[in-house]
């Protein structure tokens, strides 16, 4: 089954915008693949305004969030893997969601100690999903 995070992010984005609030993304800037202006990172995180008036070509895909925004007056392409998104919330009231940390996906060249078929299947237990209220 595919991950629910991108679907929840798209729904929350739409809900925040429909309620005339400003959607913000909280991003773990230390994750591999995160392309954001480094000078705006604080404590390994960056907050991105993704309102329709602040960005161009916003795409919240199943694997990546991408858009073009202005930072210090300079247009900048932003690229964030969905697993690097910590949360999405409305600036005005803080309503939204914080996601559980996600392990980075293992690539083909990442050592895994054998494939699932060789080791008799995955012995890793998936964590139980949980929701948190952000106020």
């Amino acid at each position: 089954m595919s991950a629910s995070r991108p679907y929840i992010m798209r729904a929350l984005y739409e809900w925040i915008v429909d309620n005339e609030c400003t959607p913000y993304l909280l991003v773990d800037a230390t994750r591999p693949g995160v392309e954001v202006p480094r000078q705006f990172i604080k404590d390994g995180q960056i907050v991105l305004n993704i309102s329709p008036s602040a960005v161009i070509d916003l795409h919240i895909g199943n694997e990546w969030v991408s858009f073009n925004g202005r930072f210090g007056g300079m247009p900048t392409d932003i690229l964030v893997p969905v697993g690097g998104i910590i949360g999405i919330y409305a600036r005005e009231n803080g309503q939204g969601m914080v996601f559980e940390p996600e392990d980075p996906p293992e690539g083909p060249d990442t050592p895994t100690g054998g494939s699932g078929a060789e080791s008799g299947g995955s012995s890793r237990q998936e964590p139980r999903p949980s929701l948190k209220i952000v106020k």
Side-chain angles (χ1 to χ4, degrees):
M1 182 173 253
S2 61
S4 62
R5 183 180 298 206
Y7 297 91
I8 293 168
M9 286 179 2
R10 286 189 289 268
L12 284 170
Y13 172 83
E14 195 171 316
W15 175 70
I16 292 167
V17 170
D18 283 354
N19 283 282
E20 299 178 0
C21 291
T22 309
Y24 275 10
L25 284 182
L26 179 58
V27 175
D28 177 356
T30 65
R31 296 282 297 220
V34 172
E35 295 180 18
V36 296
R38 296 288 171 206
Q39 66 269 31
F40 297 102
I41 296 172
K42 292 189 179 174
D43 299 323
Q45 298 178 346
I46 187 169
V47 176
L48 302 171
N49 175 351
I50 58 168
S51 68
S53 62
V55 301
I56 298 170
D57 298 328
L58 174 66
H59 178 71
I60 303 174
N62 290 345
E63 300 294 326
W64 298 90
V65 174
S66 63
F67 61 90
N68 183 280
R70 295 183 81 76
F71 291 85
M74 297 294 298
T76 307
D77 289 326
I78 304 299
L79 186 63
V80 179
V82 168
I85 306 292
I86 297 170
I88 182 171
Y89 62 95
R91 179 191 71 189
E92 291 78 5
N93 57 22
Q95 290 190 355
M97 181 178 285
V98 174
F99 299 104
E100 289 293 320
E102 188 177 278
D103 292 331
E106 294 181 2
D109 53 355
T110 303
T112 61
S115 71
E118 293 170 351
S119 61
S122 176
S123 62
R124 189 174 119 185
Q125 291 280 337
E126 291 295 324
R128 290 188 59 173
S130 65
L131 300 176
K132 293 183 183 179
I133 298 175
V134 178
K135 292 189 179 192

